[in-house]
Amino acid sequence: MTAPSPFQIMHSMSADRSGVVGRRLNRDTRRRVFSFAAPYRRTIVGFVATIVAATFLGLLPPLLIRKVFDVAIADHNNTYLNTLFIVMVVAAVGEAGLSLVERWFSARIGEGLIYDLRARLFDHVQRMPLSFFTRTQTGTLISRLNNDVIGAQRAFTGTLGTVVGNIITLGGTLIAMLLLEWRLTLIAVVILPVFVLPARRVGRSLQDITREGMNVNASMNNTMTERFNVAGALLVKLFGRHDSEAADFSARAGRVRDIGVKSAMFSRVFLVSLTLVGSIGTALVYWLGARLAINSEITPGTLVALGLYTVRIYLPLTSLSNARIDVMTAFVSFERVFEVLDTPNPITDAPDAVELVDPSGAVHFDHVSFRYPDPAEGTPESLGGSESTASLIDVLSDIDLDIRPGQMVAVVGPSGAGKTTLASLLPRLYDVDDGAIILDGHDVRSVTQRSLRRAIGVVSQDPHLFHESVAANLRYARPDAGLDDLIEACRAARIHEVIDALPEGYDTIVGERGYRLSGGEKQRLAIARMLLKNPAIVVLDEATSHLDTESEAQVQEALATALAGRTSLVIAHRLSTITDADLIVVLDEGRIVESGTHEELRHQGGLYEDLYETLVRADHAPLT
Ligand code: ADP
C-alpha cells in the first residue's frame, strides 16, 4: 500500500465520529489497546515493514521514466531501454506481491483482533446476571459486538496502515523530489494549502452528512424490523394502520433518499477537488519546470519524474490531516467495547467456592429479603443503565421457609406477590440482600454456580426453545444423551407421541421461527429437557393459560413423573398441584402470610381460602 485512494479516505470518514474531535486519549485505554495488540506484535512489524518496502518500491518508476527520457531516448540507447523496461516490470511485480503480503498481514491482525474482542465480549456478556439483560437493550449490545468491534479493528489495520503508509510515501517522495529539483518541489508544496484547506472543509461537511445518513438509515431500519416481525405485523393488521404505516415509512425512506443525494454530491465535490489539486499542481510543475528545461537547467526526464511525484504528495497530505480524527474514532470504539467488558458482574463464584456434590435437596430460605437492584448501579448509562425499573421497597421480606428433601412446596399468592422472584433466588439468578438460602447445608453463594445450577432444574411458564431441532434443544441439558435417552425422557414427559408425529420427528426445527408447539407441548418438552438434566431440585412455574382437559391431564402426568423423588418448588396455578403439595406457602406483598397443608389452610378464612375459592370457581371443578 502506498498512497490511499480518495475512496479509502471517504471510507474512513464514514465511521461515526460523534464527540471525537477534541478528545484526549486516556492513558489506561491506550495501554489496554496495546495489550490487545500485543499478541500481534510480530505481525504488526511485518505489516509495517511491508508498507515501507512497498512505498520505496513505488518511488522507483518515476526515476526509471526519467532515465527513459534522459538516457535511453537522448542517447538512442536500445539496450539501456530494454534494461529499464525489465526493471520496471520487476518493480511492478514486486509491488503487486508486496500488496498481497501486506493485505495478508493486515487481515491477520484485523480479523484476529475482531475475533479476540468478540469472543471476550460474548463470554463476558453471557455471564452477566439476569438483571443486566432486563435493563440492557439487545440492539445496543449487538451493535457493540458488531460495529464497535469492527471500529476498533480499524485502529490497527486501516488507520495504522494509512498513517504509516502516508508518512513514508510523503517523506520518501519529498526527499526524492528535493534531490531532483528543490525549487520546483518548494513550489509544489507551497501551493498545497490553497487546495487542501477547502478540501478539508468539504470533507468535514461530508462527515456530518454521513453521520446524519447513518441516523436516518437506522430509523428506517428500526421501523422495518419492528413492523416485519410477527407481533408487529399483527398489530398493524388488527388496528388497520397500513396506510398510515406506509406514509410514515415513505417519510423516513424519503429522508434517506434526500440525504443520499446530498452525500453523493458532497462526495463528488470532495473527490473532484482532490483530483483538481493533483492536476493543477502537476500542471504548475510542468509549466514552471518546462521553463527550467527550456533554459537547460533541468533535463526533460527530471521534469517528468517531478510531475509524477507531485501527484503522490497531495493525497497523503489530505489524508494525514484527518489522521488524528481517525485514530480518535478507533479509540472511541475501543472505549465502547471496554465499557461492556468493564460492567461489573455481582454474581460470581466465591474464591473458595466448593462443588455441590449429589445434593439431597434440602432447601432453607433463612429470613431472606430482596429488592431488585437499582438499574443505575453497575450498568453504564449508554447500555440502558439509567432506565429505572427498580422497586424501591423490598420485593421479598423476611422469607423463612424450610423444604425437606423430596417435598413439594406450592407457592400461591396474588399477581405481583413475589412468587417468581422467590423462585429465581434459588438458582442465584439474583442474590439475596438479607438472610441466606441454604442448600444441603451450603449457602448458595458459597458453592460454584455450575454445580448449583446442575442441581436445580427450572421449567418456566413459557419455556424458551432455541431455533434448532427438538433433539438439539433436548441435548442442551445433556449433550451426550443418545436418542434412546431423549425418547425415554419425552415418554416420561408425555410428549413423545407429539414429537414422533412431527414432520421430521426429533429432527424437526422448533423455536421462534420453527415449528410452533402449543404452550402445553412446549412446557412438556421443557419438562423432558429438565428430566434429562436429572436435577435434585425442580423449580416449576405452572402455565396460567388455560389448558384443555386433555393436555391438562397430560401435563399432570408429566409432572407427577418429573417431580417424583425430587424437591420441588412450584408456583402453582392449578388446583390439583395445590392440593397435592406437601406444603403450601401463601405469599402476599413479599411476605409469607400463611403456610401449611391444604387441609390446614382451607378453613382458616385467610388469603388462601379466597385464592382457593377463586381457583375452584374458575376451574368448574367439583369441590373436594
Ligand atoms: P409474581 O410472580 O408473584 O406475580 P414477581 O415476583 O414477578 O411476582 O414480582 C414481584 C414484584 O417485583 C412486582 O412488583 C414486580 O413489578 C417486581 N419486579 C419483577 N421483576 C422485576 C425486575 N426485573 N426489576 C424490577 N422489579 C421487578
Side-chain angles (χ1 to χ4, degrees), residues 97-297:
L98 282 174
S99 146
L100 290 181
V101 175
E102 183 220 307
R103 188 69 190 104
W104 184 78
F105 278 130
S106 77
R108 290 269 304 222
I109 302 166
E111 298 300 320
L113 199 76
I114 290 182
Y115 165 85
D116 294 344
L117 287 174
R118 274 205 186 128
R120 280 238 219 151
L121 274 175
F122 183 88
D123 193 46
H124 180 76
V125 168
Q126 65 155 350
R127 283 173 204 279
M128 290 305 284
L130 200 62
S131 54
F132 177 82
F133 295 94
T134 58
R135 292 174 214 150
T136 315
Q137 288 176 325
T138 319
T140 316
L141 266 184
I142 293 182
S143 147
R144 299 276 159 118
L145 263 98
N146 284 333
N147 304 347
D148 286 311
V149 160
I150 290 171
Q153 166 261 341
R154 266 198 209 137
F156 279 95
T157 48
T159 311
L160 181 78
T162 318
V163 171
V164 173
N166 283 333
I167 290 176
I168 297 168
T169 310
L170 195 62
T173 313
L174 279 178
I175 290 171
M177 286 175 79
L178 284 170
L179 290 177
L180 284 175
E181 170 50 53
W182 65 271
R183 287 168 295 183
L184 281 180
T185 310
L186 282 187
I187 288 168
V189 174
V190 163
I191 63 145
L192 256 179
V194 182
F195 295 97
V196 171
L197 291 182
R200 276 191 72 182
R201 177 160 303 172
V202 178
R204 270 205 213 110
S205 312
L206 190 58
Q207 279 172 32
D208 294 339
I209 294 171
T210 310
R211 189 158 50 238
E212 203 184 327
M214 284 166 116
N215 289 340
V216 291
N217 245 308
S219 124
M220 185 181 73
N221 287 341
N222 275 337
T223 310
M224 284 195 275
T225 36
E226 284 213 306
R227 269 44 169 197
F228 288 171
N229 64 42
V230 179
L234 193 65
L235 213 60
V236 174
K237 276 188 203 310
L238 294 181
F239 282 89
R241 297 290 298 252
H242 292 114
D243 292 339
S244 65
E245 286 292 339
D248 181 59
F249 182 78
S250 298
R252 285 174 208 272
R255 282 200 285 279
V256 173
R257 174 199 55 204
D258 298 342
I259 204 97
V261 172
K262 208 162 145 190
S263 156
M265 274 328 288
F266 269 84
S267 308
R268 186 45 68 90
V269 169
F270 184 77
L271 197 68
V272 164
S273 49
L274 276 184
T275 320
L276 210 59
V277 178
S279 310
I280 296 180
T282 314
L284 206 63
V285 165
Y286 277 116
W287 180 49
L288 296 172
R291 284 162 191 271
L292 295 178
I294 290 169
N295 293 338
S296 300
E297 286 183 49

Side-chain angles (χ1 to χ4, degrees), residues 408 459 492-494 523-524 527 530-531 538 540 542 552-564 566 568 570 574 576-577:
M408 169 170 152
V459 179
R494 305 292 184 276
Q523 211 175 26
R524 277 180 282 153
I527 291 173
M530 188 271 290
L531 286 174
V538 175
L540 172 81
E542 280 185 346
E552 162 93 27
Q554 280 177 317
V555 170
Q556 187 69 32
E557 284 177 34
L559 279 181
T561 324
L563 304 185
R566 300 175 212 271
S568 53
V570 183
R574 295 179 311 134
S576 50
T577 318

Side-chain angles (χ1 to χ4, degrees), residues 13-60:
M13 281 186 161
S14 64
D16 181 12
R17 283 134 199 270
S18 41
V20 162
V21 183
R23 284 184 63 145
R24 289 187 62 82
L25 283 188
N26 175 317
R27 189 188 296 178
D28 288 341
T29 312
R30 213 164 26 182
R31 199 174 303 143
R32 266 174 100 176
V33 169
F34 287 130
S35 80
F36 270 94
Y40 304 100
R41 217 176 294 132
R42 282 191 187 172
T43 324
I44 291 176
V45 171
F47 176 55
V48 174
T50 325
I51 294 177
V52 174
T55 309
F56 278 109
L57 213 53
L59 289 177
L60 214 53

Side-chain angles (χ1 to χ4, degrees), residues 130-131 134-135 370-373 375 389-391 393-396 411-424 430 541 571 573 587 590:
L130 200 62
S131 54
T134 58
R135 292 174 214 150
F370 173 77
R371 77 172 52 160
Y372 280 97
T389 51
S391 54
I393 47 153
D394 281 354
V395 173
L396 293 172
V411 185
V412 295
S415 168
K419 305 181 293 290
T420 313
T421 309
L422 181 74
S424 60
Y430 298 94
D541 195 347
I571 300 172
H573 298 289
L587 269 189

